Amino acid sequence: MSEIEREAMEYDVVIVGGGPAGLSAAIRLKQLDPELSVVLLEKGSEVGAHILSGAVLDTCGLDALIPDWKDKGAPITVPVKKDNFYILGEEGKVRIPNWPMPSLMDNHGKYIVSMGNVCRWMAEQAEELGVEIFPGMACSELVYGDNGEVKGVVAGVFGLEADGSYGPNTEPGMELHGKYVFLAEGVRGSLSKEVIAKYDLSKGKEPQKFGLGMKEIWEIDPAKHREGTVTHTMGWPLGSNAGGGSFIYHLDNNQVYVGFVVHLNYKNPHIYPYMEFQRFKHHPMVAELLAGGKRVAYGARAISEGGYQSMPKMVAPGVALLGCSVGMVNVPRIKGNHNAMLSGKAAAEAAYAAIKADRAGDELTDYETEVRDGAIGKDLKPVRNVKPMWSKWGLTPSLALGGLDMWTNSLFGFSFFGTLGHGKSDAEATGKAADYTPIEYPKPDGKLSFDRLTNVSFSFTNHEESQPAHLKLKDPSVPLKNLETYAGPSQRYCPAGVYEFVEKDGEKQFVINFQNCVHCKTCDIKDPAQNINWTVPQGGDGPNYPNM
Ligand SMILES: Cc1cc2nc3c(=O)[nH]c(=O)nc-3n(C[C@H](O)[C@H](O)[C@H](O)COP(=O)(O)OP(=O)(O)OC[C@H]3O[C@@H](n4cnc5c(N)ncnc54)[C@H](O)[C@@H]3O)c2cc1C
């Protein structure tokens, strides 16, 4: 690509990604010095279009960044009033009372929000401070300097030929150079993946772990709506097939977020996470709540679950990884937005100090120290064994032992278990189809449960069809081998129906319906051969989530 001529623009800091991490970094930089030049690039058609969080927000990150967020009209207005946790059986449920839970699990004092709307509001705050925000700009390449440092990104490439080459109608985009580049791409960022590999940032760390989160927004019967109620469940329908669980958050305006997470370290390749979610809504507790309501939006996104021991080194020359590009979700709390914000703030403070000292293009080690030893580390370290326990011992023992471990960690800073490892990556965890029994999923009824393609239309996703598929196969022969060995798991793990096997002239062919992609990144994570590389499509393409 080096022969392509592009315009270049120079900034102090270039930020990739308009989620809570990137926006917090942008805001903090301008708070520290209004003269700093800061640009933020977002691949969604607008800031918020690709944001899917639950979300129950712990405002500690925002409190540190914009203490007067209430006066500034932040869309954070629904405090949690009720916090329920159930273990489900097929018909019944058992409520786990709040009192045995460590206080870190308590959702009282937190807020039910649309993180998409919170990000839209944060973008307004950033723009008021003078940050240049360009939505619809996908960053597709990194630009390296003479000393091997990251010095910028390429953004805004449009109109590639169908084979991925540059043609007469290709707009080559532009290079945005910075003294520092912040990658705030969220989970499994495509540029972050390149940086982690190039600088070997995961060396000596546990593999990153992931879940697939799927979510619908429902408008329900006002008589059943309980604003401020948070419900989490575990157990049915996943049982011992996979880890995971659900969340049901009553927002305002009779809206409810109904979500389901399946841990991607499942072994049985017949598992169909999307159908597990659909089946879950037929549990009597959920069916009764949703009956008579309507689903108004659908989306999916991977969630990082590796926690403290999986965080890669987060700085390399000229570049810092922020938020879930590192993986900062506190798994038992199912919360990462607060840490994403705190990381953005910390990265900004480190870059500001470096720029004031006339530095550029080096490692922001103070940022890494602050993340590991400051508020983020203190949030993540005490819960570091919860996910490995769940993976090793299953739901019931891990609830008891994980609870005990969180108590001893929170109270005494001590664990009987030390730091447990995660073992295999999620891709490696996938077992062979012949070793597992296929699972029969009930057909969606079109009222509570929906077929996948109908639901995808409620993500409002759109990709210009003339562009090359942004989901790239390293070896095109692998999917058919996967079909034989793993019963073609991409047909099931993709929550948007991107992958299918069709019969043509008596032969199976692998088809990539990239137009359906909701940018969840599950294929990049779970493909057993790691053969699918998720890259960015043209800017502005992808889901158009409303108030997710
Ligand atoms: C189903 C689900 C439920 C969750 N529930 C909660 C919850 O209740 N509470 C909570 O605190 N956390 C929750 N989380 C976790 C939370 O979503 C993450 O911790 C948080 O989103 C991380 O913020 P981020 O800014 O790092 O990344 P993101 O929020 O993912 O933002 C990244 C942004 O970067 C953009 N981007 C990515 N790559 C590029 C590129 N190359 N070029 C341009 N733009 C790019 C994306 O479009 C996106 O807008 C949940 C996550 C999921 C999936």
Side-chain angles (χ1 to χ4, degrees), residues 338-387:
H338 60 303
N339 286 337
M341 292 180 186
L342 290 169
S343 80
K345 179 173 174 284
E349 287 168 358
Y352 165 75
I355 291 167
K356 288 292 137 191
D358 274 336
R359 285 166 45 199
D362 57 2
E363 293 193 2
L364 293 170
T365 44
D366 288 355
Y367 162 59
E368 172 127 13
T369 306
E370 172 57 28
V371 170
R372 290 192 190 274
D373 301 343
I376 298 172
K378 289 191 174 71
D379 183 56
L380 295 180
K381 219 170 168 184
V383 303
R384 66 192 180 279
N385 289 330
V386 171
K387 166 79 182 178

Side-chain angles (χ1 to χ4, degrees), residues 15-23 41-44 46-58 115 119 137-140 184-187 189-191 211-215 232 247 249 259-261 300-304 322-326 328-329 333-341 343 519 521 534 536:
I15 303 174
V16 178
L23 288 162
L41 305 142
E42 166 55 48
K43 67 178 162 61
E46 53 157 353
V47 169
H50 291 184
I51 298 292
L52 183 101
S53 277
V56 173
L57 180 68
D58 177 342
M115 263 325 278
C119 287
M137 291 287 268
C139 301
S140 48
E185 300 178 286
V187 182
S190 41
L191 300 181
L212 166 60
M214 295 152 285
K215 180 177 150 193
H232 291 112
F247 57 91
Y249 303 154
F260 200 80
V261 176
R301 182 82 168 96
I303 180 167
S304 65
L322 277 55
C324 278
S325 289
V326 174
M328 296 183 179
V329 169
R333 297 181 72 198
I334 331 174
K335 288 183 188 60
N337 287 307
H338 60 303
N339 286 337
M341 292 180 186
S343 80
H519 298 198
K521 316 275 177 86
W534 195 99
V536 286

Side-chain angles (χ1 to χ4, degrees), residues 57 86 121 263 277 379 464 500 503 506:
L57 180 68
Y86 295 103
W121 174 82
H263 297 177
F277 175 30
D379 183 56
E464 170 61 51
E500 60 178 335
E503 191 106 7

Side-chain angles (χ1 to χ4, degrees), residues 327-477:
M328 296 183 179
V329 169
N330 180 317
V331 173
R333 297 181 72 198
I334 331 174
K335 288 183 188 60
N337 287 307
H338 60 303
N339 286 337
M341 292 180 186
L342 290 169
S343 80
K345 179 173 174 284
E349 287 168 358
Y352 165 75
I355 291 167
K356 288 292 137 191
D358 274 336
R359 285 166 45 199
D362 57 2
E363 293 193 2
L364 293 170
T365 44
D366 288 355
Y367 162 59
E368 172 127 13
T369 306
E370 172 57 28
V371 170
R372 290 192 190 274
D373 301 343
I376 298 172
K378 289 191 174 71
D379 183 56
L380 295 180
K381 219 170 168 184
V383 303
R384 66 192 180 279
N385 289 330
V386 171
K387 166 79 182 178
M389 282 177 175
W390 198 342
S391 309
K392 279 189 203 345
W393 300 318
L395 177 60
T396 314
S398 71
L399 270 180
L401 292 173
L404 170 74
D405 197 51
M406 285 193 282
W407 271 112
T408 60
N409 266 301
S410 312
L411 292 176
F412 313 115
F414 158 79
S415 166
F416 288 108
F417 302 93
T419 297
L420 297 175
H422 291 302
K424 292 177 178 168
S425 72
D426 292 338
E428 290 162 348
T430 316
K432 298 207 166 103
D435 297 337
Y436 295 88
T437 317
I439 303 169
E440 280 281 327
Y441 289 97
K443 260 186 129 89
D445 69 354
K447 293 184 191 117
L448 288 176
S449 48
F450 311 99
D451 70 80
R452 196 166 44 176
L453 289 185
T454 305
N455 236 358
V456 169
S457 70
F458 283 80
S459 71
F460 312 103
T461 196
N462 181 45
H463 291 83
E464 170 61 51
E465 299 215 0
S466 60
Q467 66 187 306
H470 62 283
L471 304 147
K472 313 235 184 267
L473 299 179
K474 291 179 199 158
D475 175 349
S477 72

